[in-house]
Amino acid sequence: MSWEETTRQKMLHLKLPTDPRWVDIAQMQIEDILVDHAYCEQKAASSCISLIVRFNDLEYLVDTLTPIVAEEWGHFERVMEQLKKRGMKFGRQRKDEYVTRLTDFVKKGGSRMDQLTEHLLLNALIEARSCERFKLLSKNIQDEDLQKFYYELMISEAGHYVTFIEMARMYQDPEKVNKRWQEWLTFEAEVMKSMELRGDRMH
Ligand SMILES: [Fe+2]
Ligand SMILES: [Fe+2]
């Protein structure tokens, strides 16, 4: 089975595909997209660091997330290179409505493992949506260099998605995780549907 087929089976469980017009408007604002993307990679690295600090006693989690921090930071560096070689500037961080709204969906309270599940599912979902968007960019953007760049990142983020989901199912009753995952997917689709389509944001 090809990578595309296995990924479709495993991960494109997103309940609402991205509006296909997004790539067209995004590629007209590529500087904004790259700046927004750079911050996404920073946030991905820092969310893994937070999990390592908070769940320092979970050896498998620490060992698995440590190299992911390095990978996400590597992605940040690569986005910065893309900006530099186009003579574009690294601008300020913008308000990230998508991540803010998803973060508000994290259930408060419960056991420590319930909290871990929530954060792993939040991360998995952001990886899944990013992967979907990278795929759209890799297939449809006119800039060939960026097509290749986004193809490579799509594969990497798909791997992270699988890691987060599988880790959630390892530390918590898998059936409970699957049920909650469906709630997350439904909520994410509602967020996507209600958000304005903008070409200056990765999400
Ligand atoms: Fe990344
Ligand atoms: Fe990632």
Side-chain angles (χ1 to χ4, degrees):
M1 205 182 290
S2 72
W3 182 86
E4 294 250 321
E5 283 166 322
T6 43
T7 305
R8 201 175 298 123
Q9 277 188 2
K10 270 193 203 158
M11 73 163 302
L12 293 180
H13 298 141
L14 294 169
K15 292 189 190 278
L16 187 74
T18 290
D19 186 322
R21 292 171 302 172
W22 174 74
V23 176
D24 295 330
I25 58 169
Q27 66 181 341
M28 291 190 290
Q29 298 174 73
I30 205 65
E31 184 168 11
D32 293 319
I33 282 290
L34 287 170
V35 170
D36 192 58
H37 180 186
Y39 285 108
C40 292
E41 298 294 356
Q42 267 201 18
K43 280 179 269 187
S46 59
S47 79
C48 287
I49 294 172
S50 302
L51 287 172
I52 290 170
V53 172
R54 189 167 170 187
F55 298 95
N56 62 295
D57 55 320
L58 303 179
E59 194 181 348
Y60 173 78
L61 178 144
V62 173
D63 290 348
T64 307
L65 296 189
T66 299
I68 295 185
V69 173
E71 274 176 48
E72 300 294 19
W73 201 255
H75 294 170
F76 172 72
E77 285 183 322
R78 292 184 64 188
V79 182
M80 295 300 276
E81 277 166 24
Q82 293 290 343
L83 276 167
K84 279 222 168 68
K85 72 181 178 193
R86 290 175 172 74
M88 295 171 173
K89 280 210 171 70
F90 182 43
R92 288 170 64 122
Q93 186 171 12
R94 289 74 182 266
K95 192 171 162 270
D96 191 340
E97 188 191 345
Y98 176 74
V99 170
T100 305
R101 287 178 64 186
L102 289 185
T103 305
D104 286 345
F105 192 66
V106 169
K107 258 190 216 160
K108 311 280 180 293
S111 69
R112 190 159 173 262
M113 287 302 120
D114 289 339
Q115 279 301 304
L116 176 62
T117 303
E118 288 297 293
H119 287 280
L120 290 174
L121 294 184
L122 167 65
N123 284 8
L125 197 44
I126 298 170
E127 294 284 358
R129 181 59 76 184
S130 303
C131 183
E132 189 235 13
R133 297 236 156 159
F134 292 169
K135 182 179 175 185
L136 282 173
L137 289 170
S138 74
K139 287 198 158 175
N140 301 300
I141 204 164
Q142 278 155 16
D143 184 319
E144 283 181 21
D145 186 35
L146 286 178
Q147 281 176 12
K148 199 170 151 279
F149 177 61
Y150 279 114
Y151 183 80
E152 288 171 17
L153 290 197
M154 165 187 79
I155 292 178
S156 173
E157 311 304 5
H160 297 164
Y161 158 81
V162 173
T163 301
F164 287 128
I165 282 274
E166 287 180 352
M167 196 184 293
R169 291 181 183 133
M170 202 186 109
Y171 283 116
Q172 175 79 281
D173 174 5
E175 276 188 30
K176 198 171 164 183
V177 172
N178 294 345
K179 194 168 161 277
R180 182 61 180 151
W181 178 237
Q182 289 305 314
E183 292 171 6
W184 270 102
L185 287 170
T186 302
F187 180 74
E188 198 263 357
E190 281 166 21
V191 169
M192 268 292 145
K193 208 188 290 174
S194 69
M195 278 177 61
E196 181 196 353
L197 186 71
R198 332 179 29 149
D200 60 346
R201 296 283 198 281
M202 191 51 86
H203 303 110

